[in-house]
Amino acid sequence: MIGRRTLLLGALSAGLLSGCARIGAPGLSLAGEGAIVTGKTLAKVNALRREAGKPVLVADRALGRSALDHARYMARKGRMSHDHFARRMRRHGVSLPAAENVAEGWNDVDSMFRSFEVSPKHRANMLGDFRRMGVAVARDRNGRAYWVMQLSG
């Protein structure tokens, strides 16, 4: 049976919400060291937001790059993390407050999104008071996928 672990790490002083999800599935098959997959995820998140009466999000290039950098970092480290979240956001020119959901091991965007949708903390991030989103995935040496979804005002 596939196991799942959900974590929430927040930097309350910066007004940040962060989530993590883990599953023991094989990695995503991607060429290269990673990919920005905001477009594939945006429609799903916006459908969820519309159902909740929230305004839709738009894809953001800086958040996509930031998400890809962090997905690559997690793949190199072989673990999920929210290491240096506020610093990473500032480095990419992303304004705070912001939120970050991370996941490990999902095979595709649909599976990653479903894991976030059913997790109260991840869902809260996706329904938060944000306007922009970036999503990326990178693989480790064994092909295990590391996902990062970042949202900001």
Side-chain angles (χ1 to χ4, degrees), residues 6-21:
T6 303
L7 304 170
L8 175 70
L9 299 174
L12 296 177
S13 64
L16 307 174
L17 288 175
S18 305
C20 306

Side-chain angles (χ1 to χ4, degrees), residues 10-17 85-87 89-90 95-99 130:
L12 296 177
S13 64
L16 307 174
L17 288 175
F85 179 70
R87 184 182 333 156
M89 295 295 97
R90 284 191 303 271
S95 61
L96 299 176
F130 301 112

Side-chain angles (χ1 to χ4, degrees), residues 88-106:
R88 288 186 284 111
M89 295 295 97
R90 284 191 303 271
R91 184 174 65 231
H92 286 277
V94 175
S95 61
L96 299 176
E100 177 175 77
N101 290 338
V102 300
E104 175 185 351
W106 297 106

Side-chain angles (χ1 to χ4, degrees), residues 34-95:
I36 296 173
V37 293
T38 305
K40 295 177 181 180
T41 313
L42 192 60
K44 295 175 181 310
V45 173
N46 280 337
L48 179 70
R49 290 177 67 85
R50 277 191 289 278
E51 288 174 14
K54 301 282 187 173
V56 297
L57 301 173
V58 296
D60 184 86
R61 221 174 209 182
L63 285 168
R65 285 191 304 267
S66 175
L68 181 57
D69 284 354
H70 193 57
R72 288 174 173 163
Y73 170 84
M74 292 191 312
R76 279 192 312 274
K77 294 288 187 182
R79 64 176 175 82
M80 291 185 298
S81 81
H82 295 288
D83 294 350
H84 315 293
F85 179 70
R87 184 182 333 156
R88 288 186 284 111
M89 295 295 97
R90 284 191 303 271
R91 184 174 65 231
H92 286 277
V94 175
S95 61

